[in-house]
């Protein structure tokens, strides 16, 4: 599974993207648990911790919005992490 981070999620993760190998039947929730299990440096000042950002983020699975974290993801899937955006 391939995870791409945007905006504050990128800052908190310390990467633009990461790859994870999870067993068949893994869900978006399982993938997010794997994301949070990665040791990370402290995010830049003013950036919330990644756990907080993920709790408020929207997700795209292969460019389609995912609202149910129990959605199964496959080995070649791409999950985009989209934190709330401010402004207009």
């Amino acid at each position: 599974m391939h995870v791409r981070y945007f905006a504050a999620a990128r800052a908190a993760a310390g990467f633009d993207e990461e790859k994870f190998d999870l067993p068949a039947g893994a869900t978006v929730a399982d993938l997010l648990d794997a994301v949070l299990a990665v040791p990370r440096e402290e995010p830049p000042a003013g950036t919330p911790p990644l756990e907080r950002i993920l709790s408020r983020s929207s997700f795209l699975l292969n460019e389609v919005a995912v609202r149910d974290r129990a959605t199964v993801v496959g080995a070649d899937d791409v999950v985009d992490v989209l934190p709330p955006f401010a402004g207009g």
Side-chain angles (χ1 to χ4, degrees):
M1 289 121 210
H2 191 90
V3 179
R4 298 187 301 190
Y5 303 103
F6 294 87
R10 179 183 343 196
F15 301 101
D16 292 339
E17 54 189 55
E18 295 182 281
K19 290 191 178 189
F20 293 87
D21 292 317
L22 298 179
T27 64
V28 171
D30 296 327
L31 181 57
L32 296 177
D33 288 344
V35 165
L36 291 174
V38 174
R40 300 184 189 278
E41 294 183 16
E42 192 72 25
T47 302
L50 186 57
E51 182 174 18
R52 185 168 149 205
I53 292 170
L54 292 178
S55 73
R56 298 175 179 187
S57 291
S58 299
F59 304 95
L60 301 179
L61 174 59
N62 300 323
E63 301 183 10
V64 176
V66 173
R67 302 210 186 320
D68 184 357
R69 292 186 182 197
T71 301
V72 174
V73 292
D76 296 325
D77 286 343
V78 176
V79 174
D80 294 326
V81 179
L82 306 172
F85 293 92

